[in-house]
Amino acid sequence: MNIVNGNNETLDVNIPFLRDAILHYTIQQYFNNNDKKTGEFIYQIEETHGFSFQNGLKNEYSVII
């Protein structure tokens, strides 16, 4: 998936580190930018649901919501 801005520049969100950053930031917003709570939540869903940032958003989106 590419995101296009007003200058027709694209941002490829399938780049793993970029996807990881977007997903981490999205989860972090839920915890009001609290890094500790975000880290704990990510650890919990990795352990209990087999969540992994590396699996891609299509596979992991349902775990988060």
Side-chain angles (χ1 to χ4, degrees):
M1 173 193 282
N2 291 331
I3 298 172
V4 180
N5 68 14
N7 296 327
N8 291 327
E9 299 170 331
T10 61
L11 179 64
D12 183 3
V13 295
N14 288 317
I15 298 171
F17 74 88
L18 182 58
R19 183 180 61 231
D20 294 355
I22 292 169
L23 191 53
H24 187 275
Y25 181 75
T26 302
I27 295 170
Q28 188 179 46
Q29 293 308 294
Y30 181 78
F31 294 107
N32 295 317
N33 296 319
N34 186 311
D35 285 330
K36 184 176 180 180
K37 288 182 182 178
T38 301
E40 290 171 0
F41 177 77
I42 292 170
Y43 176 76
Q44 287 174 358
I45 60 176
E46 286 174 339
E47 294 298 311
T48 60
H49 293 86
F51 174 86
S52 172
F53 281 119
Q54 301 305 315
N55 289 340
L57 294 177
K58 288 182 181 179
N59 296 331
E60 299 300 354
Y61 183 71
S62 63
V63 173
I64 297 170
I65 57 170

